[in-house]
Amino acid sequence: MHRSPDQKSPGIRCPRRATLALLTATFATFAVFDAEAGDGLDCLACPTIDQTTCPALAKALARPEVTVAELGAWLDRAPAGSKDLPHAAQVLAILGGEKARAHLTSAAKRLGDSEFAVDLQAAAARAGEKSMIDALVATGTKGEPRARLVAISTLASLQAPQAAALARANLKAEDHRLAAGAIVALGKVGTNEDAPTLLTLLRRTDLGAIERRACLLALTRLEFEGAMLEATQLVSHPAPRVAQAALALLAVAPPTWCSPAIRWALERPTLQQAAAPAAVGLHDDTVAGVALRAATATVLPTPNYVALLEVVASAPADGAAKRLLDHAEALDDEGKVATLKCVARLRDRSVVPRLVESLVSARAQVANFTVYALEELTGERLGGDVHVWRAWLQGGKAAAAAKAP
């Protein structure tokens, strides 16, 4: 039997195929590893380490062992001046674990003279490295403003005993961000005895907006009710973040006399979400009426609308359910669902026939929450069949049962 020149004997062909298969599998394995391992390093290019702004972070967190190995190896040889050090440290601190802590601690010691040493110290401390507490205290005492800010904020987050003294020492720092960070930190680790000091700061006419907001946040954290007058006055502050912080403080225990300021805030889109908790705390139907007007005047962003609905439900006004359902006709499904949840809380049974008829065209989640609202308002559990609900409206339970499939 003769073979053509392109034919190979089985004894020769099989080893070559096996070798080719082995190489293919090896390259495929490396390709998969590279695709997975890239996510950790991709995080370094993100503007902030936050899943809303850094899509690579979610992928990196889904493969913690790969990410720790990758970023740990990068960190072990990273140069002292690399601006990627803080990001790498943050990701490893989020992942935590012994390996991440070891890489962070080693880097913090190796790069002790780097401007980013404090970021490594902070990340190692958050990952559970106790020895970094003393390093952070030293940095918070004599470091540059940014380094002191990171150190003090980290110590406060960890509830370290040294944090309060460091925060108090920096309340009037010339660097505005450091001063604001120290104020916020004191709100976390301070006591009621610190509240008068913070109130004195808040009352300073020359205080910058960043420090003023920090004072309001700290007093809110301490639940200090002695600053309600100042908070009420600051609701109309030109900086929205200051006004929002003032409303957060009012929500701790809103006095009746602050009602005009809260009503005013409920009609400002930038303040509606912050004003809602304070408005709910008042349990005032007049305030709820303002919220109803603001909620139905135009189509608002869903978070604003939901916040206003909470106020409406806190002190329901006559006709509120009908107005909300009228308004919901112009909303998307998310807005309709939010409306139905609120209507279910208003206890206005006059809208039951309308809700029953809406089941004819309602779909998906809107239909589900229409049934939910009907069941909450009537106490009946009749499902999503419009015919059963119509029968119930006409003759009560007996008719509904007779028509039920």
Side-chain angles (χ1 to χ4, degrees):
M1 177 178 178
H2 297 283
R3 293 188 179 90
S4 63
D6 60 335
Q7 288 180 311
K8 304 291 188 292
S9 68
I12 296 174
R13 182 168 64 246
C14 291
R16 288 181 177 177
R17 285 183 178 176
T19 301
L20 179 60
L22 178 61
L23 288 172
T24 301
T26 302
F27 288 138
T29 300
F30 283 137
V32 171
F33 178 79
D34 287 344
E36 292 183 349
D39 298 320
L41 290 179
D42 285 347
C43 290
L44 303 185
C46 291
T48 57
I49 300 302
D50 184 305
Q51 292 194 43
T52 59
T53 58
C54 184
L57 179 60
K59 296 178 182 178
L61 297 181
R63 292 182 279 267
E65 292 184 2
V66 172
T67 301
V68 167
E70 178 185 20
L71 286 180
W74 179 88
L75 197 59
D76 289 344
R77 61 180 184 272
S82 174
K83 296 186 181 300
D84 292 330
L85 283 170
H87 282 186
Q90 288 177 53
V91 176
L92 287 172
I94 292 171
L95 291 167
E98 291 184 10
K99 292 182 179 179
R101 182 168 65 249
H103 285 297
L104 289 166
T105 304
S106 175
K109 293 176 179 178
R110 180 173 68 87
L111 303 174
D113 294 329
S114 165
E115 67 173 302
F116 302 116
V118 68
D119 299 279
L120 297 167
Q121 295 166 0
R126 290 198 299 273
E129 181 58 45
K130 304 294 186 183
S131 68
M132 287 293 111
I133 297 296
D134 289 341
L136 286 170
V137 171
T139 302
T141 302
K142 60 183 181 182
E144 293 299 314
R146 176 190 171 274
R148 282 154 62 193
L149 172 58
V150 173
I152 293 170
S153 299
T154 302
L155 289 168
S157 296
L158 296 174
Q159 296 289 302
Q162 305 92 325
L166 286 172
R168 294 183 189 113
N170 287 277
L171 294 178
K172 299 180 182 180
E174 292 184 7
D175 185 277
H176 295 297
R177 293 192 178 279
L178 173 56
I183 292 168
V184 171
L186 191 57
K188 294 179 180 179
V189 296
T191 66
N192 290 335
E193 295 179 358
D194 292 302
T197 300
L198 293 170
L199 180 57
T200 300
L201 274 176
L202 181 64
R203 287 171 173 167
R204 279 177 44 184
T205 58
D206 62 338
L207 195 66
I210 185 172
E211 294 104 315
R212 198 176 300 281
R213 174 177 178 269
C215 282
L216 290 163
L217 294 175
L219 290 167
T220 300
R221 189 71 178 254
L222 294 173
E223 298 185 346
F224 183 62
E225 298 181 22
M228 294 303 170
L229 175 59
E230 288 74 15
T232 302
Q233 293 170 338
L234 289 169
V235 167
S236 58
H237 193 280
R241 297 188 73 190
V242 173
Q244 291 160 2
L247 288 161
L249 178 52
L250 286 176
V252 170
T256 303
W257 47 261
C258 76
S259 174
I262 293 176
R263 293 202 302 269
W264 178 85
L266 286 172
E267 298 192 273
R268 270 71 190 168
T270 58
L271 301 180
Q272 285 168 337
Q273 293 182 58
V280 170
L282 287 170
H283 298 289
D284 185 328
D285 57 357
T286 303
V287 174
V290 172
L292 177 62
R293 182 172 68 243
T296 56
T298 186
V299 176
L300 293 166
T302 299
N304 290 42
Y305 184 59
V306 171
L308 291 171
L309 292 181
E310 284 296 316
V311 185
V312 172
S314 69
D318 292 340
K322 179 182 182 302
R323 285 182 63 179
L324 289 174
L325 290 174
D326 288 344
H327 179 67
E329 292 178 3
L331 303 181
D332 59 14
D333 284 0
E334 189 177 16
K336 286 182 170 66
V337 167
T339 302
L340 290 165
K341 289 179 179 179
C342 181
V343 166
R345 298 167 60 187
L346 298 181
R347 304 302 177 191
D348 182 353
R349 291 171 62 101
S350 69
V351 299
V352 167
R354 177 175 180 169
L355 291 173
V356 169
E357 292 308 311
S358 73
L359 283 174
V360 175
S361 58
R363 296 291 181 270
Q365 285 291 85
V366 176
N368 291 339
F369 279 94
T370 300
V371 173
Y372 167 76
L374 283 169
E375 292 179 344
E376 289 295 301
L377 292 171
T378 65
E380 303 294 336
R381 299 292 182 267
L382 302 180
D385 190 331
V386 65
H387 300 293
V388 174
W389 281 105
R390 283 172 175 168
W392 180 83
L393 284 173
Q394 293 172 2
K397 290 183 179 180
K403 288 183 176 289

